[in-house]
Amino acid sequence: VKADGKKKSGDQDLQFLLQGGDLLKVRSPTWKKTRYFKLQDDCKTVWRQSKKIFRRKQTFSLDDISAVRLGRQTEGLKKNTDEQVEDRCFSIVFKGHHKTLDLIACSEEEAKQWVKSLQKMISNMNNLSRQQKREHWIYSCLIKADKNKDDKLSESDMKSFLRLINVEVDDDYAELLFKKCDTSNSGYLAGEEVEHFYELLTHREEIDVIYGEYAQTTGYMSPQNLVDFLMKEQRQKATLADAHKIIKQFEPDENAKEKQLLSKDGFLMYLHHQDAMVLQPEHREVYQDMDQPLNHYFISSSHNTYLMEDQLKGPSSTEAYIRALLKGCRCVELDCWDGSDDEPVIYHGHTLTSKILFKDAIQAIKEYAFKVSGTVYYPPPQSVSDYPVILSLENHCSIEQQTVMAHHMSSILGSALVTSPLGQGMPTDFPSPEELKGKFIIKGKRLNKLEASFAQEVLAADDTDVTEEEESGDDDDYEEQHQKKSKKKLKLAKELSDMVIYCKSVHFNGFDDARRNLSFYEMSSFKEGKAMTLAEESANAYIHHNMEKLSRIYPAGSRADSSNYNPVPLWNAGCQIVALNFQTTCSDMDVNQGRFLVNGKSGYILKPSYMRDPTTEFDPITLTRGEWLKHKTLHVMVISGQQLPKVTKKKSSIVDPIVKVEVYGVQDDVAEKETNPIDNNGFNPEWNETFRFDVYVPDLALLRFVVEDHDSASENEFIGQYTLPFNSIQMGYRHVPLLNSNGDLIPAAGLFVHIMIVDAE
């Protein structure tokens, strides 16, 4: 923290933000007002001056920022400003549902300086270790608690500080703690006394115990002690060379480092590093075989991607596409209708949701689907997958506007759009994600079989009708609700039809019919209820169907609030495109993000081999014997929590945390256990409770940790969660990060657990 203070003077970007300046805030073509923005002294919070005296929240944290974009990139700036101010514009996009801040600087140089400085600060904060984030947070709380800013803590300041860090202590204990640290008997804490108070507070007894057991070299860990710990407790293969590397990287004490020893501080810093946490580090990168046919993968998929909120009156936005793509989504939906001026629009038909131009959505998808170039952009583009994106079209447009759609996709997406099969001749199977890297695939209706284009079959100029069977297979809710009233066939433009290569939408008439009459590229969409029934009653048949073809599942039309359904039973039946409302925060989305957390967050997860084998007898419901049965016993000890955030912003509110440990997977594996609540301590609660689970099909299982604020009178409130695939778990003593309801990391918060997985006898 002190070092950070010294850095302040030498950092031009930081100095620029600390000084701040006037920016024009844009809300509409007529509402443009000057506001003064500056970074506060905690180097973490941005303050803005507002003319409204009673405006409560005039600050936002750098942690809340999702992206900083230079130029007129947002819908707001495109709509509300002229092209001549392009170079002076920038936008701050927030996580969650906070409104984007559209701003205009005085000059092009100043706009670039704001963007560069903000990006640098955010990047620096993201690069802090968990330990540094923890210290940074505690330090900012200490500053807030020091009400008269004299760098001293009175007993009253100390109680304020404890409330800020989410710890409720009774007056006797607070007084005892204060007296223990106030060695000068001055009635306040200063200098080393504050440091001593901090050390008492952040002391991790559970780490002391583990460290003490292995620190056999004059109170330190030798390289051999560390190897013993890694092999015995963490169940890792480890050599002395590995131990030397860890000491070199994490030991803060230069004297200990010279002697090749690891102190307790170094040990804790290592345990906080992402490679030592609960997720296997190798699985953060692409580690699966990406050369299998496309339908052999689970694909991260979004429903009504254009919506920011619910599907009755919520706003449609290109930002919704950007957010989904940056979360690793690889199949997005475009609900297309005729718009004015011959420009097709996207919205949820026959509702009050707002409209966006089809071409704007395609442009946003192009810019954010893969690696971004040519735009100033945060977070770094490396976080985005390079594997193919499927554009799922729900087409309600006239022939004329379908032609416009085809033109926009062709001109904007260019050579990245797949408009003919890869390779020579008529294909007999899907290409792989690797072969389709950087490509867009259209899912929609087609006038004829793909084979026809290889047989030089020429369509008559007026042959634009989709057959009745194909039309009735349309998967959108509008068709379901309105089709019975009208038997009119959908007219389809040849230009749009010809773009459908690997994902032709057809009606589902049963597994036998599909096997006999449908080509591999002909796919059906299933409403969740129908799909769930098939997954429960005909799971093995569904698995075989999905070995040959793709299946898309979508939420019931009755979910007007854009709620979701549990995707796990459908993955268990081999369904690839299980589409969820990405804009909705819920446990189903948590599980979806957990499933696609690994394999480089590529949005593609290879199905287990027995879900790709034509002779398979695997059935997730009956679970007959086979290679899928790998019965494991999972032991989870929930030891402690660190810096769990408050759920409510009330000063007096302190959480009573409870931890739920959940297993998702085949029916026999689904289970949930929970700890007892800890009263009034979100800072460093300790549970030390152990749970045991039987997991029969680990390949399909996921483990979820949920932290809630316990309330005996009403429903518990969600604090944070973390979900990961069972096969990606690291054993031993592990820290578990926590994500908020929006799926973003909560800085410094986490759980400390011990995990053991053994073969069941």
Side-chain angles (χ1 to χ4, degrees), residues 186-227:
S186 59
Y188 55 80
L189 308 184
E192 287 182 3
E193 293 172 336
V194 175
E195 285 182 30
H196 182 44
F197 168 61
Y198 167 78
E199 282 163 11
L200 278 177
L201 206 62
T202 55
H203 177 232
R204 296 268 306 268
E205 194 176 338
E206 72 275 34
I207 300 295
D208 284 1
V209 172
I210 301 161
Y211 181 79
E213 204 172 312
Y214 287 90
Q216 303 296 324
T217 314
T218 60
Y220 284 86
M221 266 191 185
S222 68
Q224 186 57 55
N225 297 156
L226 183 53
V227 168

Side-chain angles (χ1 to χ4, degrees), residues 137 206 239 250 322 411 442 485 508 516 521 563-564 741:
W137 179 75
E206 72 275 34
T239 63
F250 297 103
I322 294 168
S411 62
I442 305 295
K485 297 177 187 172
F508 179 72
R516 285 197 310 271
Y521 58 85
S563 58
N564 279 311
S741 58

Side-chain angles (χ1 to χ4, degrees), residues 571-726:
W571 291 328
N572 293 347
C575 299
Q576 303 90 344
I577 302 175
V578 182
L580 297 180
N581 288 299
F582 267 55
Q583 70 275 20
T584 304
T585 58
C586 58
S587 60
D588 306 310
M589 261 311 291
D590 293 341
V591 169
N592 191 75
Q593 293 297 94
R595 166 60 72 210
F596 294 101
L597 175 69
V598 296
N599 206 31
K601 290 190 179 176
S602 63
Y604 285 84
I605 299 293
L606 184 63
K607 296 186 208 176
S609 57
Y610 47 81
M611 297 182 88
R612 298 180 273 127
D613 175 5
T615 64
T616 190
E617 293 176 8
F618 174 61
D619 186 315
I621 308 298
T622 59
L623 275 194
T624 52
R625 289 202 168 275
E627 61 175 297
W628 45 87
L629 270 186
K630 304 165 188 167
H631 186 186
K632 305 282 184 189
T633 304
L634 167 68
H635 299 274
V636 178
M637 183 183 191
V638 179
I639 301 170
S640 61
Q642 294 79 45
Q643 285 174 240
L644 307 175
K646 293 183 183 188
V647 181
T648 59
K649 296 293 176 194
K650 279 197 303 191
K651 277 190 176 180
S652 58
S653 164
I654 305 292
V655 300
D656 303 326
I658 189 169
V659 180
K660 292 180 178 176
V661 184
E662 303 169 350
V663 176
Y664 290 79
V666 299
Q667 233 169 34
D668 286 8
D669 289 349
V670 177
E672 180 184 314
K673 309 276 176 76
E674 65 178 52
T675 66
N676 290 306
I678 301 289
D679 291 338
N680 293 326
N681 186 353
F683 183 72
N684 55 3
E686 285 197 25
W687 290 276
N688 294 311
E689 293 188 46
T690 304
F691 306 116
R692 180 185 179 279
F693 300 89
D694 284 306
V695 178
Y696 294 94
V697 186
D699 296 332
L700 294 173
L702 297 124
L703 180 63
R704 182 170 185 249
F705 295 92
V706 193
V707 185
E708 295 176 346
D709 183 7
H710 177 69
D711 192 326
S712 53
S714 62
E715 202 176 330
N716 293 349
E717 284 193 88
F718 176 88
I719 293 175
Q721 69 85 36
Y722 189 74
T723 307
L724 74 164
F726 187 90

Side-chain angles (χ1 to χ4, degrees), residues 168-202:
E168 182 73 68
V169 296
D170 64 50
D171 287 349
D172 291 345
Y173 179 70
E175 201 175 324
L176 193 73
L177 196 60
F178 189 82
K179 281 181 177 167
K180 195 171 183 179
C181 299
D182 182 17
T183 50
S184 62
N185 295 317
S186 59
Y188 55 80
L189 308 184
E192 287 182 3
E193 293 172 336
V194 175
E195 285 182 30
H196 182 44
F197 168 61
Y198 167 78
E199 282 163 11
L200 278 177
L201 206 62
T202 55

Side-chain angles (χ1 to χ4, degrees), residues 330-611:
R330 297 289 91 185
C331 178
V332 296
E333 185 178 29
L334 300 101
D335 205 341
C336 311
W337 300 79
D338 279 358
S340 53
D341 303 322
D342 293 326
E343 282 293 350
V345 294
I346 292 174
Y347 82 112
H348 200 62
H350 304 283
T351 66
L352 298 175
T353 58
S354 60
K355 299 171 184 177
I356 53 174
L357 292 178
F358 177 79
K359 66 178 180 183
D360 288 349
I362 295 297
Q363 186 65 45
I365 290 166
K366 186 204 178 211
E367 285 180 18
Y368 288 90
F370 309 116
K371 303 233 170 155
V372 179
S373 58
T375 54
V376 178
Y377 165 88
Y378 181 84
Q382 288 87 311
S383 61
V384 183
S385 169
D386 257 338
Y387 290 99
V389 169
I390 300 168
L391 306 180
S392 181
L393 300 183
E394 280 200 13
N395 175 12
H396 308 278
C397 291
S398 61
I399 291 268
E400 294 75 22
Q401 295 212 12
Q402 288 178 41
T403 307
V404 176
M405 285 167 60
H407 167 73
H408 285 324
M409 288 195 288
S410 180
S411 62
I412 294 170
L413 303 178
S415 60
L417 181 63
V418 175
T419 54
S420 61
L422 273 59
Q424 301 297 311
M426 177 61 205
T428 56
D429 204 350
F430 290 97
S432 69
E434 194 63 38
E435 290 172 294
L436 289 164
K437 256 187 170 180
K439 298 288 186 186
F440 294 98
I441 303 164
I442 305 295
K443 175 196 166 292
K445 297 282 191 277
R446 189 180 163 94
L447 289 165
N448 56 3
K449 288 257 190 183
L450 188 60
E451 290 85 343
S453 57
F454 285 88
Q456 273 75 48
E457 180 184 301
V458 180
L459 285 169
D462 61 349
D463 190 0
T464 57
D465 289 355
V466 180
T467 64
E468 188 65 45
E469 259 194 20
E470 286 176 317
E471 184 212 351
S472 65
D474 203 302
D475 57 347
D476 64 82
D477 308 325
Y478 167 77
E479 290 291 336
E480 285 179 20
Q481 292 158 14
H482 297 268
Q483 203 172 10
K484 290 169 190 170
K485 297 177 187 172
S486 168
K487 288 286 179 188
K488 188 183 174 186
K489 292 182 177 182
L490 173 74
K491 294 278 188 180
L492 193 56
K494 182 177 184 299
E495 293 91 332
L496 192 59
S497 167
D498 287 350
M499 289 179 165
V500 176
I501 307 298
Y502 290 115
C503 296
K504 178 188 173 186
S505 300
V506 298
H507 184 59
F508 179 72
N509 290 313
F511 295 129
D512 288 340
D513 172 77
R515 191 168 56 254
R516 285 197 310 271
N517 300 319
L518 297 183
S519 299
F520 76 91
Y521 58 85
E522 293 181 299
M523 65 174 289
S524 301
S525 291
F526 303 81
K527 195 174 177 180
E528 64 173 272
K530 170 78 170 167
M532 288 288 189
T533 302
L534 290 172
E536 285 167 15
E537 296 175 3
S538 315
N540 184 259
Y542 216 169
I543 287 165
H544 278 275
H545 173 82
N546 289 321
M547 270 179 223
E548 299 168 9
K549 299 175 179 67
L550 284 165
S551 289
R552 177 178 178 268
I553 320 300
Y554 62 98
S558 57
R559 295 183 181 273
D561 58 351
S562 290
S563 58
N564 279 311
Y565 56 94
N566 180 4
V568 177
L570 300 159
W571 291 328
N572 293 347
C575 299
Q576 303 90 344
I577 302 175
V578 182
L580 297 180
N581 288 299
F582 267 55
Q583 70 275 20
T584 304
T585 58
C586 58
S587 60
D588 306 310
M589 261 311 291
D590 293 341
V591 169
N592 191 75
Q593 293 297 94
R595 166 60 72 210
F596 294 101
L597 175 69
V598 296
N599 206 31
K601 290 190 179 176
S602 63
Y604 285 84
I605 299 293
L606 184 63
K607 296 186 208 176
S609 57
Y610 47 81
M611 297 182 88

Side-chain angles (χ1 to χ4, degrees), residues 5-248:
K6 285 175 190 168
K7 275 184 202 168
K8 270 190 195 178
S9 57
D11 190 323
Q12 286 181 336
D13 293 304
L14 181 56
Q15 285 304 312
F16 173 80
L17 293 175
L18 287 167
Q19 185 178 330
D22 283 336
L23 292 167
L24 202 61
K25 183 180 171 185
V26 180
R27 275 198 187 155
S28 73
T30 53
W31 197 104
K32 297 183 178 81
K33 297 192 178 177
T34 302
R35 295 285 183 261
Y36 188 79
F37 288 80
K38 75 182 287 289
L39 187 67
Q40 294 189 314
D41 287 343
D42 66 357
C43 299
K44 188 181 175 182
T45 312
V46 176
W47 174 82
R48 64 181 169 84
Q49 184 187 42
S50 174
K51 296 287 183 280
K52 290 186 181 175
I53 298 166
F54 300 110
R55 200 66 173 270
R56 276 185 306 163
K57 186 146 186 179
Q58 296 176 317
T59 62
F60 59 85
S61 169
L62 295 179
D63 278 332
D64 297 332
I65 296 175
S66 163
V68 185
R69 301 195 188 126
L70 186 62
R72 294 164 66 245
Q73 289 199 56
T74 60
E75 285 166 9
L77 283 172
K78 283 175 186 169
K79 192 167 66 177
N80 301 323
T81 62
D82 298 324
E83 278 184 30
Q84 60 257 39
V85 295
E86 171 84 41
D87 296 338
R88 291 164 47 204
C89 292
F90 70 98
S91 302
I92 298 173
V93 184
F94 295 98
K95 298 169 184 173
H97 295 297
H98 299 295
K99 280 184 184 171
T100 295
L101 205 49
D102 290 325
L103 302 163
I104 303 177
C106 297
S107 66
E108 180 184 347
E109 290 70 31
E110 196 174 311
K112 283 180 176 171
Q113 182 67 57
W114 273 103
V115 172
K116 175 173 166 272
S117 301
L118 284 169
Q119 287 182 341
K120 187 171 176 184
M121 288 301 295
I122 295 165
S123 179
N124 287 347
M125 282 183 65
N126 286 347
N127 289 333
L128 291 176
S129 69
R130 285 177 64 79
Q131 187 71 7
Q132 287 168 320
K133 280 180 185 172
R134 181 181 167 85
E135 288 168 4
H136 195 280
W137 179 75
I138 291 170
Y139 177 64
S140 63
C141 288
L142 277 168
I143 292 171
K144 278 185 202 168
D146 180 13
K147 293 189 180 70
N148 59 1
K149 308 299 176 204
D150 61 357
D151 293 332
K152 297 171 183 175
L153 281 188
S154 66
E155 194 170 335
S156 159
D157 289 342
M158 189 189 75
K159 286 177 183 174
S160 298
F161 169 72
L162 290 169
R163 269 197 301 277
L164 280 169
I165 64 168
N166 214 357
V167 180
E168 182 73 68
V169 296
D170 64 50
D171 287 349
D172 291 345
Y173 179 70
E175 201 175 324
L176 193 73
L177 196 60
F178 189 82
K179 281 181 177 167
K180 195 171 183 179
C181 299
D182 182 17
T183 50
S184 62
N185 295 317
S186 59
Y188 55 80
L189 308 184
E192 287 182 3
E193 293 172 336
V194 175
E195 285 182 30
H196 182 44
F197 168 61
Y198 167 78
E199 282 163 11
L200 278 177
L201 206 62
T202 55
H203 177 232
R204 296 268 306 268
E205 194 176 338
E206 72 275 34
I207 300 295
D208 284 1
V209 172
I210 301 161
Y211 181 79
E213 204 172 312
Y214 287 90
Q216 303 296 324
T217 314
T218 60
Y220 284 86
M221 266 191 185
S222 68
Q224 186 57 55
N225 297 156
L226 183 53
V227 168
D228 293 343
F229 167 76
L230 293 171
M231 292 182 74
K232 187 179 171 190
E233 300 292 350
Q234 310 298 74
R235 301 298 167 111
Q236 288 174 226
K237 289 176 183 170
T239 63
L240 284 170
D242 296 324
H244 286 300
K245 197 174 167 186
I246 289 168
I247 292 168
K248 187 178 178 185

